[in-house]
Amino acid sequence: MSSSETLHSGNALAWQPVCRQTDLVANSGVVVRLGDEQIALFYLPETEQQVFAVGNRDPKSAANVIGRGLLGQLAGELVIASPLYKQHFRLSDGGCLEYPEQRLKVWPARLREATVEIASRGDEKPA
Amino acid sequence: MNPATRSNDLPTLIVVGNGMVGHHCIEQLIANGALGQYRILVFGEEPQRAYDRVHLSEYFNGSDSEALAMSDAALYRQPGLTLHLGTPVLEIDRVRREVITTRGAFAYQRLVLATGSYPFVPPIAGAEGEARLLYRTLDDLDGIRAAARGKRRGVVVGGGLLGLEAANALKSIGLQAHVVEFAPRLMPVQLDEFGGAALKQRIQELGVGVHLSRATQSITAGSEYRYRMNFAAGEFLETDLIVFSAGIRPQDALARACGLKLGECGGVAVDDLCLTSDPAIHAIGECAAWNDSVFGLVAPGYQMARSVAAQLCGLVDMSAPFRGADMSTRLKLLGVDVGSIGDAHAAQPGARSYRYIDEATASYRRLVVAADGKRVLGAVLVGDNSYYDTLLQYAQNGIEPPEDPASLIMPAGGGAPALGVDALPDSATLCSCHNVSKGAVCAAIDGGCTDVAAVKACTRAGSGCGGCAALLKQVVEHELSVRGIAVDKSLCEHFAHTRQELFHFVSVEGIERFEELLARHGKGRIGCDICKPAVGSILASCWNRPITEPALIPLQDTNDTFMANMQKNGTYSVVPRIPGGEITPDGLIAIGAVAKKYDLYTKITGGQRIDLFGAQLHELPEIWSELIAAGFETGHAYGKSLRTVKSCVGSTWCRYGVQDSVAMALRLENRYKGLRSPHKIKFAVSGCTRECAEAQSKDIGVIATENGWNLYVCGNGGMRPRHAELFATDLSDESLVRTIDRLLMFYIRTADKLQRTSVWRESLEGGLDYLKAVILNDSLDLAAELEAQMQRVVDRYQCEWANALQDTEKLKRFRTFVNQQGGDPEIRFVRERGQRRPARDEELGALANTEENPA
Ligand code: SRM
Ligand SMILES: Cc1cc2nc3c(=O)[nH]c(=O)nc-3n(C[C@H](O)[C@H](O)[C@H](O)COP(=O)(O)OP(=O)(O)OC[C@H]3O[C@@H](n4cnc5c(N)ncnc54)[C@H](O)[C@@H]3O)c2cc1C
Ligand code: SF4
Ligand code: FES
């Protein structure tokens, strides 16, 4: 991703609107497509961060389905369970609880007014 | 420091062979920190990463080679570890300490041979091509599959353990299977005469031909089949293909060529430390001969691998010497239980045998006891392995048998004192694959493990062949209760309650939302993928609100959320309800038209209805509005709910029918459709005792009689089939429905999550009699309540799809992307037999250049 270089150079994240708050589903996920990238957005109104953005592709099945998984909390960590084979990924860094070699991309995400924004950093967060 | 550069300075350890044992050695080496001490090279002759040879036959039942793999590919991608597949080692140069391969020579400081063994083929004229197939590797199985295409009969030479397994495999790919054995009985190594006879009877009953005391002298061209196997005295057998499974020989060619000492009957000779005659070389697994014997099972090989891995890492206290291994085995061959423990042939002087023979069911058990009657030496079991665990523990741990040892093999119910798990000493090995003793399991529990999964993760017990799972569970549960730890039946970390308790809270306190239940009876604010669907199901069973209500949506698995079943590529299947399997020609045409319009793969299901596969999320509402317009309703193929009521054509058409089974099936399906339950529920109604609807394999089975209906309950097919049990006879239409109302609602109230009626029924204390008392005699004074609860669910039924289609808010959910229209462009199909199917990985590259995906 070319944008990652620009991001690393400065601390200011390049925020980009991706959809409206009304497109989100509370305590569940929806998906947006940006270029060739599919990003799953999860809306947890009760949490501090509220919106989380992770890659939509399930590394195990190679199907684009993460946005249709089930949200949960395991040992304090917010996780999304893949709908196909039920493995769990942390929303915080995309790491997989069961298979460390599987990992989802993670984007910084936030709600601005009634708009959902993500920082277009198409890179994994360092673990 | 970068480990990749550092490892260049480390001594090189080479492992030859990437089979089960070689792989276990690598795992153990990694766990012991060997990557900090060696650069490790692995050479494997087969093209695949180590796979589970023990379960090789599953390759014929749909497992692919990746599913059988012993590890993720990532394991071998670690820095400092290199795996060369498809690369046999051709020679070992012990002077220069090099192995020679097709990729060149590689120097080693330490070498481990794990080359396993190969099938022995007796020298028989004409044994070549498809008259000389083997059964050891994935490639062998591909060969058999190719040879079997369009053929009728297959013969296995060798009636030992592997031969019978090969015969089973031939049978499973549709061949008529025969076994030819040289010895006068099957499994001559493990079984005695009577055991062999019982096994033969069982196997013949399954339609497999058994030919004993036959030595094949030559193989020539056949007249009816491709080959003719000629035996003595002019006897012969014709067949299309021949698989040899006449024993294995240790693969010691490399060792032989480089002058390592060999065992008397072959195999690389090793000492207690698995060292060969060259102190730089170890040998482990089936290629190694310890004390002149080779061990053809995986557990002893694992033992050797562990010992060598510990030695190589300098872990002295863990490198237990190898002192031989127990060759007891328990298997299911062609669905027949066979077990052999210790001294099965009573070879020890003075040994006494007890035998139990049941000719009616072809069951046989033999118990071998020491001369003084104080020790169990061995046993043979055919037909029922439920005796295996107990007898093995007696034999392995020197537990003194009861005064009348025969009671140990008498049929259950004869008062045999089953050995409680508390009688096992701490040293008793529970899991022989990973060498885990009862003591180690107890230590894990004392270290904080509170369930089987945790003990398994901590000790690895149960993660090899799986044969010890039942015993492990018993020990863990027993030890937990001894320690006063209640066996944890919590739903998950958010609810310290059983499903049954949660059901009670919901129905008694009138709770209709997950958040409310969590606040009152649970922990945290979010829940997880275990408790949310379970509670969603309970709420639906109690209140039957449309599952697309905003408060309920986040609780559902994807299948319930989108009211369709997700397939492997992220598309969905659509199953309209076809009650009782009865459908009008117009209905068929309507389904066909929808399938054609959306290009959906169409298949008749095993449940008498039609499944349409390959719909994308955004297409579901359109597809359903067309189906609903044609008069269809959702089939709940996605829900833990009523699936189908299968029917036979019954008295309307059939000359034998005594009641209108179709009408009854329609009535039942329409009554219970939409009922959410702990697991799926299936019914069937047959019009007479010939049972064409297979009602006795269903959760609820109804069979017509002259006077009404017989009701069978709690059967199922699936992973562990169970026959339904006769529950009530000659019921009228009304009493049939009332009885089913009560029974299902009682099940819904009291079952565990994801528990089918069969398992629920087996776990009910008091069994069938108790269930009859509650349902038929109303012993708990519940009947009226159960019926009323069911009536509420029935009254609130609406087709979930029809409901969702009326609500634009709900339909917003069916968008693949919320910021653009259309579907996922990465979903690709190819056509096969006139229909679409998901493209496989290897087809994707070609597709990308040719076809545009219709979005
Ligand atoms: C379509 C169908 C196979 C077919 O092509 O015929 C099928 C397909 C699936 N079955 Fe089945 N089963 C189908 C009939 C059966 C039958 C036969 C029957 O019903 O007569 C059985 C054995 C009978 C029984 O259940 O007692 C059967 C035993 C299972 C099981 C094992 C259940 C068990 O208790 O052991 C599962 C797994 C589960 O439910 O956990 C399963 C699960 C599945 C799932 C849902 C797997 C999944 O989660 O993706 C499949 C998806 C279907 C889909 O996407 O539409 N399916 N499945 C059949 C649909 C029948 C229908 O019209 O609804
Ligand atoms: C159908 C079947 C069912 C079985 N069922 C059971 C069971 O129920 N319970 C049980 O305990 N055991 C069972 N076994 C036996 C079990 O599979 C073996 O004991 C186990 O695989 C032995 O492991 P190993 O690593 O020693 O040999 P293998 O698994 O045979 O591995 C040896 C590997 O070394 C490779 N190799 C050989 N020579 C070279 C060379 N020169 N260079 C490079 N690579 C080489 C081979 O290609 C092979 O991949 C079964 C076996 C079969 C075939
Ligand atoms: S079960 Fe009886 S009535 Fe039904 S089709 Fe079979 S033979 Fe006919
Ligand atoms: S005995 Fe094989 S897994 Fe435990």
Side-chain angles (χ1 to χ4, degrees):
Chain A
M1 273 254 139
S2 58
S3 52
S4 57
E5 280 112 58
T6 40
L7 280 170
H8 284 300
S9 55
N11 268 339
L13 295 176
W15 290 98
Q16 162 179 18
V18 292
C19 66
R20 286 157 304 158
Q21 181 174 1
T22 50
D23 290 321
L24 299 175
V25 180
N27 299 309
S28 187
V30 298
V31 181
V32 292
R33 185 151 178 255
L34 290 184
D36 279 341
E37 196 86 60
Q38 298 190 15
I39 304 173
L41 299 173
F42 297 102
Y43 181 30
L44 286 153
E46 308 268 313
T47 64
E48 205 183 323
Q49 188 179 326
Q50 297 206 315
V51 192
F52 299 81
V54 302
N56 191 38
R57 170 175 292 242
D58 172 9
K60 172 120 174 90
S61 62
N64 297 317
V65 296
I66 293 296
R68 291 176 249 161
L70 257 178
L71 284 167
Q73 190 162 35
L74 291 178
E77 293 262 20
L78 293 172
V79 293
I80 177 73
S82 160
L84 278 170
Y85 300 108
K86 319 288 176 190
Q87 76 278 34
H88 301 87
F89 299 92
R90 284 185 294 271
L91 292 183
S92 58
D93 65 359
C96 176
L97 301 191
E98 292 84 0
Y99 308 98
E101 72 280 4
Q102 293 180 21
R103 180 171 272 272
L104 302 180
K105 284 187 182 182
V106 180
W107 288 261
R110 67 181 184 191
L111 268 179
R112 258 295 149 95
E113 316 283 298
T115 301
V116 182
E117 297 183 340
I118 68 166
S120 51
R121 179 183 70 178
D123 217 326
E124 287 153 43
K125 267 192 185 175
Chain B
M1 220 195 300
N2 181 339
T5 51
R6 191 189 52 183
S7 65
N8 282 336
D9 315 330
L10 298 174
T12 303
L13 163 64
I14 292 186
V15 178
V16 186
N18 190 229
M20 297 188 74
V21 172
H23 170 77
H24 193 68
C25 189
I26 296 294
E27 268 189 349
Q28 294 294 312
L29 283 164
I30 294 174
N32 293 345
L35 289 175
Q37 301 179 42
Y38 298 95
R39 194 166 73 99
I40 304 182
L41 299 182
V42 184
F43 294 94
E45 181 169 23
E46 293 185 68
Q48 303 88 356
R49 228 161 57 245
Y51 53 88
D52 186 352
R53 208 178 299 287
V54 169
H55 293 103
L56 188 65
S57 300
E58 286 170 20
Y59 190 55
F60 275 154
N61 309 330
S63 288
D64 60 6
S65 58
E66 202 47 42
L68 287 176
M70 307 281 300
S71 66
D72 272 320
L75 182 97
Y76 284 97
R77 287 201 210 105
Q78 309 189 39
L81 173 62
T82 313
L83 171 63
H84 294 289
L85 289 175
T87 313
V89 168
L90 305 172
E91 199 184 316
I92 301 172
D93 184 336
R94 293 206 285 131
V95 180
R96 303 167 66 117
R97 296 209 167 169
E98 277 179 3
V99 299
I100 320 294
T101 75
T102 45
R103 293 180 194 237
F106 295 83
Y108 65 80
Q109 272 76 34
R110 307 298 293 264
L111 184 64
V112 176
L113 295 177
T115 49
S117 51
Y118 62 92
F120 166 67
V121 180
I124 297 174
E128 53 204 36
E130 292 181 355
R132 189 193 196 279
L133 297 164
L134 303 176
Y135 198 78
R136 172 120 198 135
T137 65
L138 289 171
D139 282 357
D140 292 341
L141 268 60
D142 286 336
I144 293 177
R145 210 194 308 248
R149 208 157 287 142
K151 300 292 168 39
R152 290 172 293 158
R153 181 183 285 178
V155 170
V156 176
V157 175
L161 194 153
L162 296 182
L164 293 175
E165 195 156 325
N168 191 26
L170 294 186
K171 189 163 172 271
S172 76
I173 54 176
L175 295 181
Q176 183 198 342
H178 290 259
V179 174
V180 173
E181 167 60 48
F182 177 71
R185 64 170 180 274
L186 290 173
M187 292 185 70
V189 182
Q190 292 88 354
L191 298 183
D192 63 1
E193 189 191 331
F194 293 102
L199 183 61
K200 178 180 172 195
Q201 182 184 336
R202 289 253 182 164
I203 285 181
Q204 283 177 329
E205 280 166 10
L206 294 165
V208 175
V210 179
H211 313 266
L212 301 175
S213 306
R214 297 284 196 301
T216 311
Q217 295 176 332
S218 65
I219 299 169
T220 50
S223 55
E224 278 187 50
Y225 296 82
R226 183 161 173 199
Y227 300 108
R228 169 194 294 233
M229 306 171 69
N230 301 300
F231 309 125
E235 283 187 305
F236 67 89
L237 177 65
E238 293 210 348
T239 177
D240 291 317
L241 55 95
I242 304 173
V243 178
F244 280 89
S245 184
I248 53 169
R249 296 288 181 269
Q251 182 51 275
D252 54 12
L254 287 174
R256 196 180 291 269
C258 72
L260 286 177
K261 192 164 166 275
L262 301 182
E264 239 166 55
C265 313
V268 194
V270 297
D271 63 10
D272 289 2
L273 295 174
C274 297
L275 268 184
T276 65
S277 53
D278 179 337
I281 307 181
H282 283 94
I284 56 178
E286 284 188 350
C287 67
W290 176 86
N291 214 1
D292 286 328
S293 15
V294 288
F295 298 87
L297 292 175
V298 21
Y302 279 7
Q303 229 172 300
M304 296 179 183
R306 270 191 302 275
S307 166
V308 167
Q311 289 172 47
L312 288 171
C313 295
L315 304 172
V316 187
D317 47 333
M318 282 169 62
S319 42
F322 182 80
R323 293 250 164 72
D326 180 48
M327 296 298 283
S328 302
T329 28
R330 157 187 28 202
L331 331 135
K332 215 178 188 70
L333 289 168
L334 294 140
V336 180
D337 278 345
V338 178
S340 166
I341 294 174
D343 183 7
H345 294 291
Q348 295 194 27
R352 292 198 304 243
S353 287
Y354 298 82
R355 290 190 162 97
Y356 172 81
I357 302 177
D358 175 346
E359 288 181 348
T361 63
S363 287
Y364 172 69
R365 294 189 278 283
R366 173 186 194 175
L367 178 71
V368 181
V369 178
D372 60 3
K374 295 214 183 308
R375 269 177 40 227
V376 172
L377 299 177
V380 178
L381 301 169
V382 174
D384 184 355
N385 265 348
S386 62
Y387 296 78
Y388 184 90
D389 280 337
T390 306
L391 294 178
L392 182 69
Q393 295 304 335
Y394 272 100
Q396 284 189 339
N397 300 303
I399 300 169
E400 191 173 332
E403 206 161 316
D404 174 16
S407 63
L408 291 177
I409 54 167
M410 292 311 280
L419 184 62
V421 287
D422 49 338
L424 294 179
D426 269 359
S427 59
T429 303
L430 300 183
C431 173
S432 40
C433 285
H434 293 288
N435 192 24
V436 183
S437 64
K438 180 180 171 192
V441 167
C442 293
I445 292 174
D446 291 332
C449 296
T450 53
D451 57 22
V452 176
V455 170
K456 200 167 160 181
C458 168
T459 63
R460 305 198 64 194
S463 59
C465 69
C468 60
L471 184 64
L472 181 68
K473 179 161 184 280
Q474 274 180 354
V475 170
V476 170
E477 290 187 349
H478 175 79
E479 292 302 320
L480 285 173
S481 63
V482 168
R483 283 164 180 68
I485 307 171
V487 175
D488 190 1
K489 299 227 168 86
S490 298
L491 198 61
C492 66
E493 64 179 75
H494 307 108
F495 287 101
H497 296 284
T498 59
R499 178 187 177 280
Q500 187 176 355
E501 287 162 349
L502 293 180
F503 189 97
H504 180 81
F505 297 142
V506 167
S507 72
V508 171
E509 299 171 26
I511 296 174
E512 293 217 24
R513 292 171 58 105
F514 176 79
E515 290 72 21
E516 198 181 338
L517 184 70
L518 190 63
R520 284 204 210 166
H521 300 284
K523 283 196 280 286
R525 303 176 73 175
I526 308 234
C528 67
D529 59 317
I530 303 292
C531 59
K532 291 204 294 190
V535 172
S537 159
I538 293 173
L539 294 173
S541 296
C542 279
W543 316 120
N544 207 12
R545 305 279 183 213
I547 55 167
T548 44
E549 296 290 316
L552 299 178
I553 270 290
L555 306 182
Q556 319 291 342
D557 264 321
T558 184
N559 288 358
D560 270 320
T561 309
F562 300 107
M563 300 180 292
N565 281 345
M566 185 185 274
Q567 306 297 315
K568 60 200 277 188
N569 64 348
T571 63
Y572 289 88
S573 70
V574 170
V575 187
R577 190 167 287 290
I578 302 181
E582 186 186 75
I583 186 164
T584 61
D586 281 338
L588 273 176
I589 290 167
I591 292 184
V594 170
K596 193 163 180 175
K597 175 165 172 194
Y598 294 91
D599 200 2
L600 301 173
Y601 169 87
T602 306
K603 180 177 183 301
I604 309 282
T605 72
Q608 294 187 334
R609 48 191 190 168
I610 298 173
D611 203 340
L612 312 173
F613 291 85
Q616 287 220 36
L617 192 54
H618 68 283
E619 296 173 313
L620 290 173
E622 290 171 58
I623 291 174
W624 271 108
S625 58
E626 296 187 22
L627 288 170
I628 286 170
F632 289 99
E633 293 182 317
T634 179
H636 296 98
Y638 45 81
K640 300 298 174 216
S641 54
L642 177 75
R643 290 290 165 82
T644 58
V645 180
K646 183 172 176 173
S647 76
C648 77
V649 63
S651 57
T652 318
W653 292 90
C654 178
R655 61 188 161 146
Y656 296 121
V658 291
Q659 304 282 347
D660 186 350
S661 47
V662 175
M664 180 49 80
L666 287 172
R667 176 168 176 187
L668 295 176
E669 185 151 348
N670 283 323
R671 180 166 181 82
Y672 301 109
K673 65 188 176 192
L675 172 68
R676 288 275 187 318
S677 54
H679 208 309
K680 59 190 175 194
I681 319 176
K682 299 178 178 181
F683 285 34
V685 185
S686 281
C688 85
T689 179
R690 287 170 192 75
E691 248 283 71
C692 296
E694 300 173 311
Q696 288 168 94
S697 66
K698 302 295 180 208
D699 300 272
I700 299 289
V702 178
I703 302 179
T705 67
E706 298 278 348
N707 308 317
W709 306 98
N710 282 354
L711 173 62
Y712 290 78
V713 301
C714 303
N716 70 193
M719 283 169 272
R720 199 163 64 87
R722 178 179 196 271
H723 278 295
E725 292 159 311
L726 182 60
F727 194 68
T729 52
D730 291 334
L731 298 170
S732 67
D733 288 12
E734 296 318 313
S735 57
L736 175 68
V737 169
R738 213 166 37 218
T739 311
I740 298 174
D741 273 2
R742 294 178 186 178
L743 186 106
L744 285 183
M745 209 24 109
F746 189 57
Y747 158 65
I748 288 169
R749 279 190 175 203
T750 57
D752 214 343
K753 74 172 159 39
L754 298 181
Q755 192 174 45
R756 292 259 329 237
T757 56
S758 57
V759 183
W760 168 70
R761 154 67 189 84
E762 276 164 17
S763 68
L764 273 185
E765 265 174 56
L768 192 66
D769 290 337
Y770 169 74
L771 196 58
K772 283 184 178 168
V774 175
I775 304 300
L776 301 175
N777 304 330
D778 200 9
S779 62
L780 298 180
D781 201 12
L782 263 183
E785 200 179 318
L786 294 173
E787 283 174 39
Q789 214 160 8
M790 183 63 82
Q791 195 56 47
R792 178 168 59 209
V793 172
V794 172
D795 291 342
R796 283 193 184 166
Y797 170 82
Q798 21 174 333
C799 169
E800 292 158 359
W801 262 111
N803 173 284
L805 287 173
Q806 289 158 7
D807 186 333
T808 47
E809 265 311 297
K810 286 179 181 171
L811 289 180
K812 278 174 62 184
R813 203 79 181 87
F814 294 87
R815 292 182 290 176
T816 303
F817 304 113
V818 294
N819 66 339
Q820 60 176 245
Q821 297 206 320
D824 180 350
E826 290 177 35
I827 293 177
R828 313 302 299 264
F829 296 99
V830 295
R831 301 198 86 79
E832 185 175 74
R833 298 189 294 275
Q835 303 206 62
R836 259 182 2 169
R837 67 151 169 82
R840 303 195 183 100
D841 280 352
E842 66 271 17
E843 293 162 339
L844 286 176
L847 273 182
N849 309 325
T850 52
E851 187 198 347
E852 252 318 293
N853 191 59

